[in-house]
């Protein structure tokens, strides 16, 4: 098992066993259309498949790890953990984002800056303003690791035969084939089990997106593809008329939050078309 390299809001490290227990015992390729911090992906270490995200910087980061790990490590070593340097690095990171075309060297530089800012910024947050500028302030850390040599090399080996894309999650319709596994972890705000879906709205991923995700899940199901979805409890209402899908409620500890008082256990759901008898939870002793 490799370690995730970035800290990421909504990461699934606290839910790995719950999520994996709903995966099928056997499947072919693995796909994750909302890769984020990649906790589940790096836990599985799939031999083939695809990852995707709409965040261009994040996808450049994973492509750089896959294609230029040693150059990335070398670039990471030039950084300094100082507040003045942090803000200079943040300005450069935002400058690179404005370029429509970048050289390989600039893409490696951006990936390195992303890791540095992620490991030294306030509370491990990744946040952009409406103009797309990364605006997280400097954070106080004890000896932050922003080189991450071992983790980068391990991740590069895992990503070697993985397709990496920066597009809408609907790409998966043409990418996945029968007996593949698709794990969806879309943007959402975990809320109580009794919340009303008509009042539920996740920033950047609204009701129409959730409905598209449901429809794509149904299409994948019809094609014989395994589907597992992490989501917020109210979203289950969208799946209640799909007989092949079931739901399970879990609690997840959210450790990255700008408000310390808001951290704690929150309800989430795992939605899947994998029949119970085919799920890994039936063979937990094999995954301890």
């Amino acid at each position: 098992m490799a370690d995730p390299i970035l800290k990421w809001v909504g990461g699934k490290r606290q839910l790995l066993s719950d999520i994996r227990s709903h995966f099928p015992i056997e499947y072919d390729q693995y796909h994750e259309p909302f890769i984020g911090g990649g906790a589940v992906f790096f836990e599985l270490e799939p031999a083939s498949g695809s990852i995707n995200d709409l965040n261009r910087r994040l996808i450049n980061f994973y492509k750089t790890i896959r294609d230029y790990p040693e150059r990335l490590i070398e670039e990471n070593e030039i950084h300094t953990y100082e507040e003045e340097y942090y803000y200079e690095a943040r300005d450069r990171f935002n400058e690179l984002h404005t370029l429509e075309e970048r050289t390989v060297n600039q893409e490696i530089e951006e990936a390195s800056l992303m890791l540095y800012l992620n490991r030294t910024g306030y509370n491990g947050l990744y946040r952009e303003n409406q103009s797309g500028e990364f605006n997280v302030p400097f954070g106080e850390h004890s000896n932050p690791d922003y080189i991450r040599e071992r983790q980068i090399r391990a991740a590069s080996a895992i990503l070697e035969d993985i397709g990496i894309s920066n597009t809408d999650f609907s790409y998966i319709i043409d990418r996945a084939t029968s007996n593949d596994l698709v794990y969806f972890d879309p943007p959402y705000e975990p809320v109580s089990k009794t919340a009303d879906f008509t009042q539920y709205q996740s920033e950047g991923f609204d009701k129409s997106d959730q409905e598209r995700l449901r429809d794509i899940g149904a299409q994948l199901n019809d094609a014989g593809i395994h589907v597992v979805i992490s989501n917020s409890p109210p979203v289950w209402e969208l799946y209640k008329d799909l007989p092949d899908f079931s739901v399970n409620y879990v609690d997840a500890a959210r450790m990255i939050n700008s408000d310390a008082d808001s951290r704690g256990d929150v309800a989430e759901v795992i939605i899947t078309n994998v029949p119970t008898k085919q799920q890994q939870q039936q063979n937990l002793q094999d995954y301890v």
Side-chain angles (χ1 to χ4, degrees), residues 168-238:
D168 184 78
F169 66 91
S170 59
Y171 86 97
I172 199 63
I173 295 174
D174 298 321
R175 181 65 175 81
T177 58
S178 179
N179 205 44
D180 282 0
L181 168 61
V182 180
Y183 170 57
F184 291 104
D185 182 27
Y188 62 91
E189 192 67 30
V191 294
S192 70
K193 296 179 182 180
T194 58
D196 186 350
F197 183 72
T198 61
Q199 299 174 333
Y200 172 74
Q201 176 96 355
S202 177
E203 183 179 353
F205 203 81
D206 60 18
K207 181 179 179 181
S208 64
D209 292 313
Q210 294 287 3
E211 291 172 340
R212 282 202 304 128
L213 176 55
R214 174 204 58 197
D215 294 343
I216 287 174
Q219 284 184 255
L220 297 174
N221 176 66
D222 292 342
I225 296 166
H226 306 292
V227 178
V228 178
I229 306 168
S230 297
N231 222 312
S232 197
V235 175
W236 168 242
E237 295 181 27
L238 296 177

Side-chain angles (χ1 to χ4, degrees), residues 47-216:
S48 61
S50 70
I51 61 173
N52 174 77
D53 205 279
L54 277 180
N55 188 315
R56 188 185 78 169
R57 288 162 160 163
L58 181 62
I59 290 305
N60 175 68
F61 180 74
Y62 286 124
K63 285 183 176 179
T64 301
I65 289 174
R66 182 190 63 186
D67 300 337
Y68 306 103
E70 298 305 320
R71 292 181 62 181
L72 176 59
I73 293 168
E74 182 178 342
E75 186 77 14
N76 293 344
E77 292 172 344
I78 71 172
H79 302 307
T80 303
Y81 179 50
E82 296 175 353
E83 186 169 0
E84 181 178 358
Y85 179 86
Y86 175 89
Y87 287 108
E88 291 174 354
R90 193 178 74 171
D91 288 344
R92 176 58 177 165
F93 184 61
N94 287 326
E95 179 185 354
L96 287 168
H97 190 55
T98 65
L99 302 178
E100 293 186 6
E101 296 183 4
R102 284 99 54 84
T103 65
V104 170
N105 287 342
Q106 289 171 330
E107 290 175 343
I108 294 171
E109 180 185 6
E110 182 188 76
S112 180
L113 288 169
M114 184 172 192
L115 177 56
Y116 168 78
L117 294 168
N118 178 260
R119 304 299 297 187
T120 59
Y122 177 74
N123 211 24
L125 291 171
Y126 182 90
R127 184 184 65 200
E128 297 179 359
N129 61 25
Q130 292 184 342
S131 299
E133 294 179 329
F134 179 81
N135 62 359
V136 175
F138 179 74
E140 296 291 343
H141 302 276
S142 175
N143 193 30
D145 175 15
Y146 47 79
I147 298 178
R148 299 185 72 72
E149 179 177 352
R150 176 184 61 81
Q151 293 88 344
I152 288 172
R153 288 186 176 131
S156 181
I158 296 168
L159 289 165
E160 182 177 1
D161 294 318
I162 300 296
I164 303 177
S165 58
N166 173 216
T167 188
D168 184 78
F169 66 91
S170 59
Y171 86 97
I172 199 63
I173 295 174
D174 298 321
R175 181 65 175 81
T177 58
S178 179
N179 205 44
D180 282 0
L181 168 61
V182 180
Y183 170 57
F184 291 104
D185 182 27
Y188 62 91
E189 192 67 30
V191 294
S192 70
K193 296 179 182 180
T194 58
D196 186 350
F197 183 72
T198 61
Q199 299 174 333
Y200 172 74
Q201 176 96 355
S202 177
E203 183 179 353
F205 203 81
D206 60 18
K207 181 179 179 181
S208 64
D209 292 313
Q210 294 287 3
E211 291 172 340
R212 282 202 304 128
L213 176 55
R214 174 204 58 197
D215 294 343
I216 287 174

